[in-house]
Amino acid sequence: MTHRQLKAGYFTLAGLNTIATSYYFNYLFFFLRDHFGFGNRGNLWVTALSGFIYIFAAWQCGKFAARFGRVLSLKIGFLGLCAVMVGGALAAHSVGAQIALVAGYNVVLLLTWPALEALVSERETQAGVQEMVGIYNCTWAGAAALAYFTGGKLYDALGVGAVFWLPAGIFFSQFLLLLWLEKHHAAVLAATPEPPKEIPHAPEASTLRQPVSPQAFLKMAWLANPFAYVAINTLFAVMPGVAQKLALSPTRVGLFCSVWLFGRLAAFALLWQWRGWHYRFRWLLTAFLLLIVSLATILLATQLWLVVLAQIFFGLATGLIYYSSLFYAMDVGEASSEHGGLHEAFIGAGIFIGPATGAVALTCAPQSANVATWAVSGLLVLGLGGLLCLRKRLAKNQLKIR
């Protein structure tokens, strides 16, 4: 097995991980609606709980992978996820068990992502890392789009089987694939020389024409990315409510509400190959504005064509914001399991804050159907203000240095 073939194996694990987690967590909200009568408020609280645990699990699990080994972290993670899915299927009648399993799911899930992110970048030059990140992003984004597109049909056909048993089978197949890759991992690394020591990496020349430093772009992207997940996870949580308003079955949700996921995939593919957006604040600002407008449109529109159109811009916006966070981290930072854990912890903050805001708004004003939309939109506007203030402050500091 060659070094590139080993990397292809890890990309396969990333794709399978995305498909399995998407089938479970994205369609769990339909399961909770259909079996326990959860509405938008209940689903938003479940998502907020998930995000709260995700924050701390990401940080600690990234450290675990760095200390005890990425392969061991993946083994425990895949088997743990499989056990959670089996538990969910066997306790399908108990809402308390489902909430507890959501908590456990987020702990073992974070044993996988930071480790996978680090493994795909192992033994790569700076240019190689950026290439691997591009492939990695397109892999998981494509898998996420495929899973949401097909998941509705599977949910209508299989019910509990689509939410629990199918992901359990995928997680166990990942464990078996990992055992096979592990047999070759050490030998391949031994045969792969360490990348040559490079001159300390300097970000590209376009940074010299900007009023803020490369490190400032990293800080701005790290601020923006959690707000993208505020929007994303709010949308996932209330999708059963959107479906009910538009009279869409889960099958039709998969067909018409996966558009933004394909849009995000297209954004990743474009941004991977095109460098014109690097270190240009206007692209990040435009994406943030599109994020706010497109999310509100998706949640408030009563016509399907408008929901589909808004999803295109939502996908492009979330794609650019996420890619900015990873690219700037790689360009001015470094790739490791612990850094991957920090990246995931920022994501967890967005998963918690956005749905929690929507859930609190619905708790305080249950008679207002759109109060969660306005509350989350207001939160995003505050995030935009924070981004502008951060850039102004960083630009002022840069002038003082010069």
Short mmCIF file of all heavy atoms in Angstrom, two decimals, residues 276-303:
data_model
loop_
_atom_site.label_atom_id
_atom_site.label_comp_id
_atom_site.label_asym_id
_atom_site.label_seq_id
_atom_site.Cartn_x
_atom_site.Cartn_y
_atom_site.Cartn_z
N GLY A 276 -8.53 33.47 -5.41
CA GLY A 276 -8.84 34.90 -5.40
C GLY A 276 -9.51 35.40 -4.14
O GLY A 276 -9.53 36.60 -3.88
N TRP A 277 -10.06 34.48 -3.34
CA TRP A 277 -10.74 34.91 -2.12
C TRP A 277 -9.82 34.99 -0.92
O TRP A 277 -10.18 35.52 0.12
CB TRP A 277 -11.88 33.93 -1.80
CG TRP A 277 -11.41 32.52 -1.54
CD1 TRP A 277 -11.12 31.57 -2.48
CD2 TRP A 277 -11.14 31.93 -0.26
NE1 TRP A 277 -10.69 30.41 -1.87
CE2 TRP A 277 -10.70 30.60 -0.51
CE3 TRP A 277 -11.24 32.38 1.05
CZ2 TRP A 277 -10.36 29.73 0.52
CZ3 TRP A 277 -10.89 31.51 2.09
CH2 TRP A 277 -10.45 30.19 1.80
N HIS A 278 -8.60 34.48 -1.05
CA HIS A 278 -7.68 34.44 0.08
C HIS A 278 -7.36 35.85 0.58
O HIS A 278 -7.01 36.74 -0.20
CB HIS A 278 -6.36 33.76 -0.31
CG HIS A 278 -6.50 32.32 -0.64
ND1 HIS A 278 -5.44 31.54 -1.07
CD2 HIS A 278 -7.56 31.48 -0.60
CE1 HIS A 278 -5.85 30.30 -1.28
NE2 HIS A 278 -7.14 30.24 -1.01
N TYR A 279 -7.46 36.05 1.88
CA TYR A 279 -7.08 37.30 2.53
C TYR A 279 -7.77 38.52 1.93
O TYR A 279 -7.17 39.58 1.79
CB TYR A 279 -5.56 37.47 2.51
CG TYR A 279 -4.86 36.37 3.27
CD1 TYR A 279 -4.24 35.31 2.60
CD2 TYR A 279 -4.85 36.36 4.66
CE1 TYR A 279 -3.62 34.29 3.31
CE2 TYR A 279 -4.23 35.34 5.37
CZ TYR A 279 -3.62 34.31 4.69
OH TYR A 279 -3.02 33.30 5.39
N ARG A 280 -9.04 38.34 1.60
CA ARG A 280 -9.87 39.46 1.14
C ARG A 280 -11.14 39.49 1.98
O ARG A 280 -12.01 38.63 1.85
CB ARG A 280 -10.18 39.32 -0.35
CG ARG A 280 -8.96 39.61 -1.24
CD ARG A 280 -9.19 39.22 -2.69
NE ARG A 280 -8.08 39.61 -3.53
CZ ARG A 280 -6.95 38.90 -3.68
NH1 ARG A 280 -6.81 37.76 -3.00
NH2 ARG A 280 -5.98 39.32 -4.47
N PHE A 281 -11.23 40.48 2.83
CA PHE A 281 -12.30 40.54 3.82
C PHE A 281 -13.67 40.64 3.18
O PHE A 281 -14.66 40.15 3.73
CB PHE A 281 -12.06 41.74 4.75
CG PHE A 281 -13.13 41.91 5.79
CD1 PHE A 281 -13.27 41.00 6.83
CD2 PHE A 281 -14.02 42.97 5.72
CE1 PHE A 281 -14.27 41.14 7.78
CE2 PHE A 281 -15.01 43.13 6.67
CZ PHE A 281 -15.14 42.21 7.70
N ARG A 282 -13.76 41.26 2.00
CA ARG A 282 -15.08 41.44 1.39
C ARG A 282 -15.77 40.12 1.12
O ARG A 282 -17.00 40.04 1.14
CB ARG A 282 -14.96 42.26 0.11
CG ARG A 282 -14.13 41.64 -1.00
CD ARG A 282 -14.08 42.55 -2.22
NE ARG A 282 -13.26 42.01 -3.29
CZ ARG A 282 -11.96 42.22 -3.41
NH1 ARG A 282 -11.32 42.96 -2.51
NH2 ARG A 282 -11.28 41.71 -4.42
N TRP A 283 -15.01 39.05 0.85
CA TRP A 283 -15.64 37.75 0.60
C TRP A 283 -16.25 37.19 1.89
O TRP A 283 -17.36 36.66 1.88
CB TRP A 283 -14.61 36.77 0.03
CG TRP A 283 -14.29 37.07 -1.40
CD1 TRP A 283 -13.20 37.73 -1.89
CD2 TRP A 283 -15.09 36.74 -2.54
NE1 TRP A 283 -13.26 37.82 -3.25
CE2 TRP A 283 -14.41 37.22 -3.69
CE3 TRP A 283 -16.30 36.08 -2.71
CZ2 TRP A 283 -14.92 37.06 -4.97
CZ3 TRP A 283 -16.81 35.91 -3.99
CH2 TRP A 283 -16.13 36.40 -5.11
N LEU A 284 -15.53 37.30 2.98
CA LEU A 284 -16.05 36.82 4.26
C LEU A 284 -17.26 37.65 4.69
O LEU A 284 -18.26 37.10 5.18
CB LEU A 284 -14.95 36.90 5.32
CG LEU A 284 -15.26 36.30 6.71
CD1 LEU A 284 -15.58 34.81 6.58
CD2 LEU A 284 -14.09 36.51 7.66
N LEU A 285 -17.21 38.96 4.48
CA LEU A 285 -18.32 39.84 4.83
C LEU A 285 -19.56 39.51 3.99
O LEU A 285 -20.68 39.42 4.51
CB LEU A 285 -17.91 41.29 4.63
CG LEU A 285 -18.99 42.35 4.87
CD1 LEU A 285 -19.47 42.30 6.31
CD2 LEU A 285 -18.47 43.74 4.52
N THR A 286 -19.37 39.32 2.69
CA THR A 286 -20.49 38.99 1.80
C THR A 286 -21.13 37.67 2.21
O THR A 286 -22.36 37.53 2.24
CB THR A 286 -20.02 38.91 0.34
OG1 THR A 286 -19.49 40.19 -0.05
CG2 THR A 286 -21.17 38.56 -0.59
N ALA A 287 -20.29 36.68 2.55
CA ALA A 287 -20.82 35.38 2.97
C ALA A 287 -21.65 35.52 4.23
O ALA A 287 -22.72 34.90 4.36
CB ALA A 287 -19.67 34.40 3.19
N PHE A 288 -21.20 36.32 5.18
CA PHE A 288 -21.94 36.50 6.43
C PHE A 288 -23.30 37.16 6.16
O PHE A 288 -24.33 36.77 6.73
CB PHE A 288 -21.12 37.35 7.41
CG PHE A 288 -21.35 36.98 8.86
CD1 PHE A 288 -20.30 36.62 9.68
CD2 PHE A 288 -22.63 37.02 9.40
CE1 PHE A 288 -20.50 36.29 11.02
CE2 PHE A 288 -22.85 36.69 10.74
CZ PHE A 288 -21.79 36.33 11.54
N LEU A 289 -23.32 38.18 5.30
CA LEU A 289 -24.59 38.83 4.95
C LEU A 289 -25.55 37.85 4.28
O LEU A 289 -26.75 37.81 4.59
CB LEU A 289 -24.31 40.02 4.03
CG LEU A 289 -23.63 41.23 4.68
CD1 LEU A 289 -23.15 42.22 3.60
CD2 LEU A 289 -24.58 41.92 5.64
N LEU A 290 -25.02 37.05 3.35
CA LEU A 290 -25.86 36.05 2.67
C LEU A 290 -26.38 35.02 3.66
O LEU A 290 -27.52 34.55 3.53
CB LEU A 290 -25.06 35.35 1.58
CG LEU A 290 -24.83 36.11 0.28
CD1 LEU A 290 -23.94 35.30 -0.66
CD2 LEU A 290 -26.16 36.42 -0.41
N LEU A 291 -25.57 34.68 4.64
CA LEU A 291 -25.98 33.71 5.66
C LEU A 291 -27.23 34.19 6.38
O LEU A 291 -28.20 33.44 6.56
CB LEU A 291 -24.84 33.51 6.66
CG LEU A 291 -25.06 32.51 7.79
CD1 LEU A 291 -24.97 31.09 7.27
CD2 LEU A 291 -24.02 32.73 8.90
N ILE A 292 -27.24 35.46 6.79
CA ILE A 292 -28.37 36.01 7.54
C ILE A 292 -29.63 36.06 6.69
O ILE A 292 -30.70 35.59 7.09
CB ILE A 292 -28.03 37.43 8.04
CG1 ILE A 292 -26.83 37.38 9.01
CG2 ILE A 292 -29.23 38.06 8.73
CD1 ILE A 292 -26.27 38.75 9.36
N VAL A 293 -29.51 36.60 5.48
CA VAL A 293 -30.68 36.79 4.62
C VAL A 293 -31.23 35.45 4.15
O VAL A 293 -32.46 35.22 4.16
CB VAL A 293 -30.31 37.67 3.42
CG1 VAL A 293 -31.49 37.77 2.44
CG2 VAL A 293 -29.91 39.07 3.89
N SER A 294 -30.37 34.54 3.75
CA SER A 294 -30.84 33.26 3.21
C SER A 294 -31.49 32.40 4.27
O SER A 294 -32.51 31.74 4.02
CB SER A 294 -29.69 32.51 2.53
OG SER A 294 -28.65 32.25 3.45
N LEU A 295 -30.95 32.38 5.51
CA LEU A 295 -31.57 31.59 6.56
C LEU A 295 -32.97 32.11 6.87
O LEU A 295 -33.92 31.32 6.97
CB LEU A 295 -30.73 31.62 7.84
CG LEU A 295 -31.35 30.87 9.03
CD1 LEU A 295 -31.40 29.37 8.76
CD2 LEU A 295 -30.60 31.16 10.32
N ALA A 296 -33.10 33.42 7.03
CA ALA A 296 -34.42 33.99 7.31
C ALA A 296 -35.41 33.67 6.20
O ALA A 296 -36.58 33.36 6.46
CB ALA A 296 -34.30 35.50 7.51
N THR A 297 -34.96 33.72 4.96
CA THR A 297 -35.83 33.42 3.83
C THR A 297 -36.30 31.97 3.85
O THR A 297 -37.48 31.67 3.66
CB THR A 297 -35.11 33.71 2.50
OG1 THR A 297 -34.70 35.08 2.48
CG2 THR A 297 -36.02 33.44 1.31
N ILE A 298 -35.37 31.04 4.12
CA ILE A 298 -35.73 29.61 4.17
C ILE A 298 -36.79 29.36 5.24
O ILE A 298 -37.76 28.62 5.03
CB ILE A 298 -34.48 28.75 4.43
CG1 ILE A 298 -33.52 28.81 3.24
CG2 ILE A 298 -34.88 27.29 4.68
CD1 ILE A 298 -32.15 28.22 3.53
N LEU A 299 -36.61 29.99 6.40
CA LEU A 299 -37.49 29.71 7.54
C LEU A 299 -38.83 30.44 7.44
O LEU A 299 -39.83 29.97 8.00
CB LEU A 299 -36.80 30.09 8.85
CG LEU A 299 -35.52 29.31 9.17
CD1 LEU A 299 -34.97 29.73 10.53
CD2 LEU A 299 -35.75 27.81 9.13
N LEU A 300 -38.88 31.56 6.73
CA LEU A 300 -40.11 32.36 6.67
C LEU A 300 -40.92 32.16 5.39
O LEU A 300 -42.13 32.39 5.39
CB LEU A 300 -39.78 33.85 6.82
CG LEU A 300 -39.16 34.28 8.15
CD1 LEU A 300 -38.76 35.75 8.10
CD2 LEU A 300 -40.14 34.05 9.30
N ALA A 301 -40.26 31.73 4.32
CA ALA A 301 -40.95 31.63 3.02
C ALA A 301 -42.05 30.56 3.06
O ALA A 301 -41.92 29.53 3.74
CB ALA A 301 -39.94 31.30 1.92
N THR A 302 -43.10 30.81 2.33
CA THR A 302 -44.21 29.85 2.24
C THR A 302 -44.30 29.21 0.86
O THR A 302 -45.21 28.43 0.61
CB THR A 302 -45.54 30.55 2.56
OG1 THR A 302 -45.71 31.67 1.67
CG2 THR A 302 -45.55 31.05 4.00
N GLN A 303 -43.36 29.56 -0.02
CA GLN A 303 -43.34 28.99 -1.37
C GLN A 303 -42.07 28.17 -1.54
O GLN A 303 -40.96 28.65 -1.24
CB GLN A 303 -43.41 30.10 -2.42
CG GLN A 303 -44.75 30.86 -2.39
CD GLN A 303 -44.76 31.99 -3.40
OE1 GLN A 303 -44.00 32.94 -3.30
NE2 GLN A 303 -45.64 31.89 -4.38
#
